[in-house]
């Protein structure tokens, strides 16, 4: 098929490109490889449409880099600052400004905004993204259409690198002072010292030749900017100033650990300095310093790669109702009958990809609970309805006509899969992983052990999976569209046209995306894809705990136990849609996948977060999710609350049956809790 699923080319008899083949004999698998131009993903075989991305600054041979930490640099109306951790930068047509953000806090927000403190002026009049991967990006600067240089940015690389494509002069701030015998230049801005060094293509360093406010570069040389607050750290950064032209990412799952390796393309034999995020457990780190960041202190290591690990989570579909005692199963069974009757007589499912996805996922969950509880007649009824609804979405894309509302197509401008009826800016590639995770999870719940359904839905589901999680890239599709292997989580905004960088609100729906992808891959027998999705699930869940649900080492001024919205340049107790305290926590919980109970649950933090969110009681927005989350710390109280919970507190993507099944499983000790 030549798709994400692999396979061969029937017209030639040759084996097609297989994006899941391990990168080396050690078992590490690449997830940012260049695919041959001949590779045609399943996504590109859907019916076609053409969106309107606007005046983007992206080479025509490069898929627009939506949902990246650097998207705002290229896809917004004007170039926005981007936050590479630890440096931030803002490009324009004639140069780039650099700043090392300073962290401050208030009751509801922690900020580290971009402040331009050093500028490199270039003899250019335009810049364009010409190479991109999930962790790094290269921009080519041109003058009257002629390339003059390349700007490299990478997460975790505490430098900005500009490589000359022809002999030239770069304008720099006046007053730079030679350091280390002239091998680098320095300037102070408050408590921060900025440095400039010049390296050849082999990484060798030379004395920086400057004249006033100009540094001369020969073709192939790289001017590297860096910054620190402290002489010792600055000295290490100066020694590690070598070019980096791109990164590659691979993963391994073994021994209960999901490991990530991000390799930075330095000259052969040359190390640089890299910055590790707090959630990353590093393999044998050579720590040379630390630097403050919005997310806590970043460890600086001397290396060419970051190799880190988190605990592996296992994909999980529903609470195991079959293991409940007979009285508990009977209680669930009675509720299932009532919920199925309500489902079939209720309002028609919705037409957009977000709420429509929640609808089919709700029906699929209800189907599995009904079957496990022994409500056979109700199970047959809801299964038939759920399959019919998924057929409308997944079986009819070949007939995606002008009058269709529930179908998917390939957007030839944005290079990805879009739904006919948009929601929350999905036509600009906002939130695709949130939306498509519901469809993937629903299909897995309904099609497990049903080959006819797997065959019928596979083409469209493969396209959805490729849109959000392709491990390879060419001009028709990017690799890992929304997933950031360095940050450990996804980014939700497609264009990210914001001064604070990209953002993600619903960490739990991101977890649900990779859980759903893994469940569908397992049901379809695609072990390689299931393995990749398990890696993504494990990282997303670890970062959700570290940066949203159970953040540590918070400034004293910040007066909340969680974050509801994380950006590149700020973290907030705020949502896009509501100021209610229940919304802040609830959007980190729905749809309450059982994987949320895996790993180490801090019961004290759970109680505190639920108490803060339910200040007005549990009859509130996301009251069902708050109750289920409370069950991880206090299952008896949660069950008592849940049995009294009014219908108004049940989310439109949930059912009382699922709520009850979760609470009863928690009371029976069947959900994985602390450990």
């Amino acid at each position: 098929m030549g798709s994400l699923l692999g396979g061969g080319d029937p017209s030639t008899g040759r084996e097609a490109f297989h994006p899941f083949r391990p990168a080396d004999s050690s078992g590490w698998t690449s997830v940012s490889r260049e695919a041959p131009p001949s590779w045609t993903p399943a996504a590109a075989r859907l019916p076609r449409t053409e969106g309107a991305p606007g005046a983007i600054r992206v080479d025509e041979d490069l898929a627009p880099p939506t949902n990246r930490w650097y998207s705002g640099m290229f896809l917004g109306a004007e170039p926005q600052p981007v936050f590479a951790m630890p440096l931030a930068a803002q490009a324009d047509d004639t140069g780039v400004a650099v700043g090392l953000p300073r962290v401050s806090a208030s009751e509801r927000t922690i900020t580290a905004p971009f402040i331009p403190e050093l500028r490199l002026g270039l003899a250019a009049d335009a810049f364009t993204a010409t190479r991109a991967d999930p962790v790094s990006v290269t921009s080519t600067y041109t003058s009257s259409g002629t390339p003059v240089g390349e700007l490299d940015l990478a997460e975790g690389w505490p430098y900005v690198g500009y490589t000359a494509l022809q002999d030239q002069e770069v304008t720099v701030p006046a007053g730079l002072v030679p350091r280390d015998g002239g091998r680098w230049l320095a300037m102070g801005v408050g408590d921060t010292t900025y440095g400039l060094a010049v390296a050849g293509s082999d990484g060798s360093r030379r004395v920086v030749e400057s004249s006033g406010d100009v540094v001369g570069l020969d073709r192939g040389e790289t001017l590297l900017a860096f910054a620190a607050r402290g002489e010792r750290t600055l000295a290490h950064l100066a020694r590690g100033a070598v070019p980096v032209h791109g990164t590659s990412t691979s993963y391994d799952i073994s021994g209960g650990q999901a490991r990530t390796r991000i390799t930075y393309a330095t000259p052969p034999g040359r190390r640089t300095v890299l910055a590790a995020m707090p959630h990353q457990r590093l393999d044998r780190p050579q720590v040379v310093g630390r630097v403050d960041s919005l997310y806590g202190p970043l460890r600086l290591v001397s290396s060419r790669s970051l190799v880190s690990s988190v605990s592996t989570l296992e994909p999980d579909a529903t609470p195991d109702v079959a293991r409940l005692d007979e009285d508990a199963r009977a209680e669930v069974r009675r509720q299932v009958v009532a919920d199925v009757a309500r489902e079939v007589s209720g309002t028609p499912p919705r037409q957009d990809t977000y709420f429509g996805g929640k609808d089919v996922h709700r029906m699929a969950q209800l189907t599995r609970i009904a079957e496990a509880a022994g409500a056979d007649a109700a199970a047959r009824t809801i299964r038939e309805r759920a399959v019919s609804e998924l057929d409308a979405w997944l079986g009819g894309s070949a007939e995606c006509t002008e009058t269709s509302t529930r179908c998917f197509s390939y957007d030839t401008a944005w290079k990805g899969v879009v739904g006919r009826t948009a929601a929350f800016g999905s036509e600009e590639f906002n939130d695709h992983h949130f939306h498509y995770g519901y469809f993937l999870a629903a299909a897995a719940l309904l099609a497990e052990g049903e080959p006819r359904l797997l065959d019928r839905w596979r083409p469209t589901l493969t396209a959805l999976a490729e849109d959000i999680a392709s491990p390879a890239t060419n001009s028709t599709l990017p690799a890992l569209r929304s997933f950031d292997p360095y940050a450990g989580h996804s980014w939700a905004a497609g264009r990210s046209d914001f001064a604070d960088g990209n953002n993600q609100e619903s960490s739990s729906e991101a977890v649900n995306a990779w859980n759903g992808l893994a469940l569908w891959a397992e049901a379809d027998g695609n072990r390689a894809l299931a393995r990749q999705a398990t890696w993504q699930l494990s990282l997303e869940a670890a970062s959700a705990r570290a940066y949203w649900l159970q953040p540590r080492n918070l400034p004293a001024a910040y007066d909340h136990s969680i974050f509801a919205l994380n950006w590149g340049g700020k973290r907030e107790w705020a949502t896009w849609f509501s100021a209610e305290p229940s919304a802040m926590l609830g959007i980190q919980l729905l749809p309450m996948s059982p994987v949320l109970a895996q790993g180490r649950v801090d019961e004290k933090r759970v109680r505190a977060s639920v108490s803060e969110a339910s200040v007005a009681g549990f009859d509130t927005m996301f009251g069902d999710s708050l109750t289920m989350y409370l069950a991880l710390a206090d299952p008896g109280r949660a069950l008592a609350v849940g049995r009294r919970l009014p219908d108004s507190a049940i989310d439109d993507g949930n059912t009382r049956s699922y709520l009850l099944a979760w609470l009863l499983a928690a009371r029976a000790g069947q959900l994985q809790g602390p450990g």
Side-chain angles (χ1 to χ4, degrees):
M1 292 168 58
S3 73
L4 187 97
L5 297 174
D9 184 343
S11 65
T12 64
R14 294 194 297 268
E15 185 177 2
F17 170 74
H18 198 313
F20 289 107
R21 188 164 289 121
D24 57 46
S25 59
S26 69
W28 289 88
T29 302
S30 173
V31 283
S32 58
R33 284 187 295 159
E34 287 284 339
S38 59
W39 178 52
T40 303
R45 301 183 184 193
L46 291 175
R48 298 199 163 205
T49 189
E50 183 174 4
I56 63 175
R57 294 166 289 278
V58 180
D59 187 86
E60 62 182 10
D61 293 327
L62 184 68
T66 68
N67 304 91
R68 302 290 197 212
W69 61 270
Y70 52 79
S71 295
M73 184 171 169
F74 306 102
L75 304 182
E78 298 292 336
Q80 296 289 349
V82 296
F83 298 81
M85 294 293 155
L87 284 180
Q90 183 169 19
D92 59 53
D93 289 336
T94 61
V96 59
V98 181
L100 182 61
R102 292 175 176 81
V103 182
S104 62
S106 65
E107 178 186 350
R108 298 169 63 98
T109 308
I110 301 177
T111 63
F114 172 67
I115 300 175
E117 295 183 333
L118 180 145
R119 177 175 166 79
L120 306 180
L122 309 173
D125 54 28
F127 75 94
T128 305
T130 51
R131 189 212 58 80
D133 63 58
V135 176
S136 71
V137 64
T138 301
S139 308
T140 298
Y141 276 85
T142 57
S143 176
S144 300
T146 300
V148 297
E150 293 180 338
L151 180 72
D152 283 291
L153 301 173
E155 286 178 301
W157 186 52
Y159 305 86
V160 170
Y162 174 75
T163 301
L165 299 180
Q166 56 183 251
D167 295 353
Q168 61 190 270
E169 292 182 335
V170 177
T171 302
V172 299
L176 287 162
V177 178
R179 299 281 291 269
D180 193 17
R183 293 176 63 82
W184 58 286
L185 307 178
M187 62 174 281
V189 180
D191 61 349
T192 306
T193 300
Y194 288 86
L196 290 176
V198 174
S201 59
D202 61 354
S204 60
R205 296 273 300 283
R206 68 161 171 86
V207 171
V208 183
E209 299 173 1
S210 65
S211 176
D213 60 352
V214 168
V215 170
L217 291 180
D218 294 336
R219 179 180 179 181
E221 289 186 326
T222 300
L223 179 63
L224 295 128
F226 52 95
R229 299 184 182 109
E231 284 297 315
R232 185 175 179 181
T233 299
L234 198 66
H236 283 293
L237 290 172
R239 285 194 291 271
V242 300
V244 163
H245 301 301
T247 68
S248 60
T249 301
S250 55
Y251 71 88
D252 173 63
I253 296 178
S254 59
Q257 298 296 303
R259 302 172 70 209
T260 304
R261 180 172 63 196
I262 303 172
T263 301
Y264 294 73
T266 62
R270 297 281 185 171
R271 291 179 173 226
T272 186
V273 172
L274 303 173
M277 291 286 286
H279 76 277
Q280 296 171 330
R281 296 198 302 261
L282 298 180
D283 287 10
R284 299 183 297 277
Q286 183 182 342
V287 178
V288 298
R290 284 175 169 77
V291 60
D292 286 339
S293 84
L294 182 67
Y295 291 88
L298 307 183
R299 292 151 292 165
L300 298 178
V301 298
S302 175
S303 182
R304 298 182 64 195
S305 63
L306 286 175
V307 182
S308 61
S309 63
V310 299
S311 298
T312 303
L313 299 190
E314 295 299 326
D316 199 359
T318 58
D320 193 352
V321 174
R323 290 176 55 204
L324 297 175
D325 62 44
E326 179 52 40
D327 288 343
R329 283 200 309 276
E331 186 177 359
V332 174
R333 192 159 51 245
R334 289 190 296 272
Q335 187 59 54
V336 161
V337 172
D339 282 345
V340 169
R342 183 179 297 109
E343 189 74 55
V344 298
S345 62
T347 57
R350 292 161 287 188
Q351 308 298 300
D352 66 84
T353 53
Y354 179 69
F355 290 108
K358 288 182 71 174
D359 287 341
V360 294
H361 182 255
R362 179 188 67 244
M363 287 184 270
Q365 287 279 21
L366 185 55
T367 299
R368 289 292 290 265
I369 292 172
E371 291 170 345
D376 297 339
R380 288 191 295 270
T381 298
I382 191 60
R383 173 172 283 275
E384 181 179 353
R385 180 175 174 84
V387 168
S388 175
E389 292 302 323
L390 265 182
D391 269 337
W393 282 100
L394 306 178
S397 284
E399 304 298 328
C400 198
T401 66
E402 290 185 3
T403 59
S404 301
T405 56
R406 291 186 291 176
C407 63
F408 297 96
S409 59
Y410 175 75
D411 188 321
T412 57
W414 285 101
K415 308 294 186 184
V417 179
V418 293
R420 172 57 56 81
T421 306
F424 303 109
S426 59
E427 74 281 9
E428 295 182 350
F429 282 68
N430 294 349
D431 301 352
H432 278 203
H433 56 312
F434 299 161
H435 299 202
Y436 299 168
Y438 283 114
F439 289 98
L440 290 159
L445 289 165
L446 293 172
E448 184 178 11
E450 293 276 1
R452 62 185 180 84
L453 295 179
L454 292 169
D455 291 343
R456 193 156 75 220
W457 296 338
R458 185 179 298 115
T460 305
L461 289 172
T462 299
L464 299 185
E466 286 175 342
D467 180 73
I468 61 174
S470 172
T473 181
N474 65 11
S475 61
T476 61
L477 206 68
L480 301 182
R481 181 184 300 280
S482 61
F483 189 72
D484 185 335
Y486 174 80
H489 61 77
S490 306
W491 297 108
R495 294 190 303 133
S496 185
D497 195 7
F498 307 110
D500 290 308
N502 214 322
N503 70 89
Q504 180 161 269
E505 183 177 67
S506 183
S507 61
S508 54
E509 286 179 304
V511 169
N512 184 61
W514 316 128
N515 187 55
L517 179 61
L519 292 171
W520 171 66
E522 287 181 347
D524 204 32
N526 190 337
R527 288 182 294 176
L529 178 56
R531 187 169 176 267
Q532 176 189 314
T534 299
W535 165 69
Q536 293 178 267
L537 165 65
S538 302
L539 259 68
E540 191 87 50
S543 68
R545 286 192 297 271
Y547 307 128
W548 278 265
L549 280 173
Q550 298 178 22
R552 302 290 182 183
N553 303 317
L554 299 178
Y558 186 74
D559 195 31
H560 299 282
S561 61
I562 67 164
F563 291 95
L565 189 55
N566 279 312
W567 302 72
K570 66 179 177 181
R571 306 173 70 187
E572 296 183 282
W573 194 73
T575 76
W576 286 102
F577 60 93
S578 175
E580 291 296 321
S582 62
M584 311 301 172
L585 179 59
I587 198 62
Q588 311 311 322
L589 302 175
L590 84 163
M592 288 304 296
S593 168
V595 297
L596 193 66
Q598 293 185 34
R600 184 169 297 279
V601 176
D602 186 329
E603 293 185 2
K604 183 178 179 180
R605 294 290 293 273
V606 169
R607 289 189 179 94
S609 297
V610 172
S611 177
E612 181 179 45
S614 61
V615 64
F618 287 85
D619 182 10
T620 186
M621 180 187 298
F622 304 133
D624 52 346
S625 292
L626 305 185
T627 305
M628 287 187 278
Y629 192 48
L630 177 62
L632 301 182
D634 192 343
R637 181 186 171 213
L639 181 58
V641 170
R643 282 173 168 156
R644 299 192 305 269
L645 209 60
D647 290 346
S648 58
I650 308 293
D651 184 67
D652 57 9
N654 197 10
T655 64
R656 192 175 292 277
S657 296
Y658 186 79
L659 167 68
L660 193 58
W662 175 286
L663 298 176
L664 289 168
R667 184 187 65 175
Q670 294 174 7
L671 294 178
Q672 284 186 274

